[in-house]
Amino acid sequence: MAILLFRLAGTGDSLMKRTTITFLAALALFLGTIASSKYSVSNDFIQKPLDFSGIDTVQFESAGLSEIAISKTRAPMLRHRPDDAAKIQVTRQGNTLLIRSDTSQYGDVELIIPATIRTLITQSARVGSKDKLDSLDIRASEDLYWSGDIKTLRITDTRAYGGCSPRCQNGLHVEDGAIADLTIATPAGEVTLNQADDINNATLLLGPDASFSLLNAHHVDRIRVVDFESGK
């Protein structure tokens, strides 16, 4: 009988220990989940759907380098951090969707626009697409980076040169992509074609203070350099 009672007592102690351990483990997991949830919420992005009905032009004004993706399949939207909601304004002006952002850090704002957009007006931006696009006219007042396949692409440097101290110069970079017809116009910027052989025809309208660099270029006969003023 004493042996039986001892075994029962031992079983009870063991059960209590297991219960205590299980409770502590569950509590630790719960607290960890709360901490993780708080961290992810502060780092999550708000996704705001955008209506592009009747829109063929996007004007994106941003204090920092913006990320713009052009897609035939993804839903148009604006992604930003919750704390930046008051810093972003979206308005419609006729056939133009105007987006103003006062956020200055790269990656704080991401924009997805449809492939039906024909004109993109921006400041400093990385623009690209994973789809093959038909045509796009980009007007950039600061540095621009392009990546993606497209039939016809025109990039115009709209910076108001003059009076810059120290000397200012926009960088217009075509990083990759198969392009049938490319036109880049800049009075004093720096043009870089990273994969020049992937471009069938390129026309560079360059002012006297502009410069250009060709990388991976074995067919330079496809690239034509024209005076900026005469080619406008």
Side-chain angles (χ1 to χ4, degrees):
M1 184 68 166
I3 295 175
L4 179 59
L5 291 174
F6 175 78
R7 286 178 178 174
L8 288 174
T11 302
D13 291 342
S14 177
L15 180 61
M16 183 174 294
K17 289 179 180 178
R18 289 199 300 269
T19 302
T20 302
I21 292 172
T22 302
F23 171 75
L24 292 175
L27 180 61
L29 180 61
F30 174 71
L31 293 175
T33 301
I34 292 178
S36 174
S37 176
K38 287 182 178 179
Y39 180 81
S40 63
V41 167
S42 64
N43 286 276
D44 279 347
F45 278 77
I46 292 177
Q47 297 187 359
K48 179 179 181 179
L50 297 175
D51 180 14
F52 278 87
S53 57
I55 296 294
D56 61 16
T57 301
V58 172
Q59 183 171 342
F60 192 11
E61 300 176 359
S62 177
L65 179 66
S66 55
E67 189 86 17
I68 303 175
I70 306 171
S71 177
K72 292 181 177 180
T73 57
R74 298 172 65 188
M77 69 176 60
L78 184 68
R79 298 178 71 248
H80 60 82
R81 298 188 186 280
D83 295 342
D84 293 333
K87 301 177 182 178
I88 300 173
Q89 297 178 345
V90 180
T91 57
R92 296 172 68 100
Q93 298 179 354
N95 63 339
T96 300
L97 189 69
L98 175 59
I99 303 171
R100 289 191 174 99
S101 170
D102 289 333
T103 61
S104 58
Q105 294 186 359
Y106 173 65
D108 280 352
V109 178
E110 298 177 14
L111 177 64
I112 302 175
I113 62 177
T116 52
I117 295 300
R118 290 292 169 258
T119 303
L120 174 61
I121 304 168
T122 183
Q123 291 174 301
S124 180
R126 285 189 175 276
V127 184
S129 179
K130 294 183 178 179
D131 302 313
K132 184 168 184 178
L133 306 179
D134 290 327
S135 65
L136 183 64
D137 180 5
I138 302 177
R139 304 168 192 174
S141 59
E142 295 181 24
D143 293 343
L144 180 83
Y145 301 84
W146 169 267
S147 176
D149 299 343
I150 189 169
K151 292 180 181 178
T152 304
L153 175 64
R154 182 182 177 92
I155 300 173
T156 303
D157 181 0
T158 59
R159 178 189 283 272
Y161 288 96
C164 292
S165 180
R167 179 174 175 266
C168 54
Q169 187 177 46
N170 277 3
L172 307 174
H173 309 274
V174 177
E175 297 184 316
D176 62 57
I179 304 175
D181 289 291
L182 171 67
T183 301
I184 300 180
T186 175
E190 181 180 5
V191 176
T192 303
L193 307 182
N194 286 358
Q195 302 292 333
D197 279 355
D198 292 337
I199 303 171
N200 287 349
N201 295 291
T203 301
L204 307 182
L205 308 177
L206 306 180
D209 294 327
S211 61
F212 69 96
S213 301
L214 306 178
L215 305 178
N216 299 307
H218 300 92
H219 304 284
V220 293
D221 56 310
R222 300 177 180 176
I223 300 168
R224 187 167 62 104
V225 179
V226 180
D227 178 70
F228 178 77
E229 292 297 331
S230 63
K232 286 195 303 182

